Amino acid sequence: SGATEVQVEMSAINGNLQIRIADNGCGLAAPAGRGAHHGLAGMRERLLRLGGRCEIVSNADQGTTVTFIVPVQAGI
């Protein structure tokens, strides 16, 4: 990825756990076709099962930011 910096932030916002990971790398290439980026698709699928979501923002030569948002259940 060519990243020289990575930032990780974790916070609780409106009853959700939010984890944000950002780097200053080269960004994600456009998917080459079906099956590209299996890891990201798997993360999204797992979060959906928990009622959460995964947001990915990537720009060429500007890095990638991945944000995981998961609802926090009371009593856990």
Side-chain angles (χ1 to χ4, degrees), residues 1 25-33 36-37 40 56-64:
S1 81
C26 62
L28 297 173
H37 302 301
L40 295 174
I56 301 166
V57 177
S58 183
N59 296 300
D61 299 322
Q62 295 181 13
T64 301

Side-chain angles (χ1 to χ4, degrees), residues 5-22:
E5 283 185 35
V6 176
Q7 296 178 340
V8 179
E9 299 173 2
M10 185 168 57
S11 56
I13 300 174
N14 298 325
N16 294 313
L17 172 64
Q18 181 172 301
I19 301 170
R20 182 181 161 274
I21 303 166

Side-chain angles (χ1 to χ4, degrees), residues 43-67:
M43 285 188 279
R44 279 188 169 138
E45 186 176 309
R46 288 178 187 94
L47 285 164
L48 283 173
R49 290 181 194 162
L50 297 171
R53 64 186 189 276
C54 176
E55 298 172 354
I56 301 166
V57 177
S58 183
N59 296 300
D61 299 322
Q62 295 181 13
T64 301
T65 300
V66 179
T67 305

